[in-house]
Amino acid sequence: MKTDKMLAAGLVAVPLFFVTALTQAFTKDGFDITRHMISQLATGPLGWIQTANFIVTGALFAMVAVGLRRRMTDGIGRVWAPRSVGVFAAGLIGAGLFACDPIAGYPVGAAEVMTWHGTLHGVASGVAGLALLAFDIIVFRRLRAQGNTTAAAASLVAFAVFLVGPFTIPGLMSVTFAAASFLAWGWVAVFAAGLRAAPVSAPRAHAELVAH
C-alpha cells in the first residue's frame, strides 16, 4: 500500500471509532455515557460490534505506524515515533480481543467480578495510553527542534489533555476520558496525515505541513 494512504489511515480510524462507539452508547438499553466507559460496550448485547471497533481501529493505526516508519527517515523521533504508534495500535487491538469486566450496573444484571480477560483489557488499554503520551513528547521534541513552535505546542497540549483531562470533572470520567482520547488520537492522525507527500529529505517541510 502507498505510504500516503497509510499516513491518512488515522483520519479514518478516529471518526470511525467514536461514531461507532457513541452510536451504541446512545442506543443500548442500560448504558449511560455519564457512568459507563466506552470499553464496556463490548460486554453487553451485540458486544462484538465494539470488539470489532477496537480491532479495526487498531489495525488502521498500525498502518499509520508503518507509514511513519517509511516517511520519518531522519531527525528526532524517526525511530520511536513510529514505534509508539505501533504500540498504541497493538494496545487497541488487545483491548478489543480481551473484553473488560462488567461494572457500575452494565450490562444490566451481570455479575461484577474480576476476570483474566478484564485484567488483560486493563493492561492493553494502559499500554496504549502510555504509548500515546510517549508519542506526544517525542513529536513535541521533533517539532521544536525543527523550529515549528505552533505544532510543537499542539503536541504538548495533546499530552496534557490526555494526561489530566479525564480527571477534570468529578463523576464524569467516562465522558472526559472519551473526549481526551478523541483529541489525543486525533493529534496522531493529524500529525501523520500532515506528512503525506512531504519530501523525504526535508524534515522541516514535514512540520510545516502539520502546522497547516
Side-chain angles (χ1 to χ4, degrees), residues 3-27:
T3 300
D4 283 358
K5 290 184 178 180
M6 289 184 166
L7 290 169
L11 297 179
V12 176
V14 176
L16 172 67
F17 182 89
F18 287 97
V19 169
T20 301
L22 291 176
T23 299
Q24 297 175 83
F26 289 107
T27 56

Side-chain angles (χ1 to χ4, degrees), residues 12 34 47 49 79-80 86 174 183:
V12 176
T34 66
I49 296 176
V79 173
W80 287 104
S174 57
L183 291 174

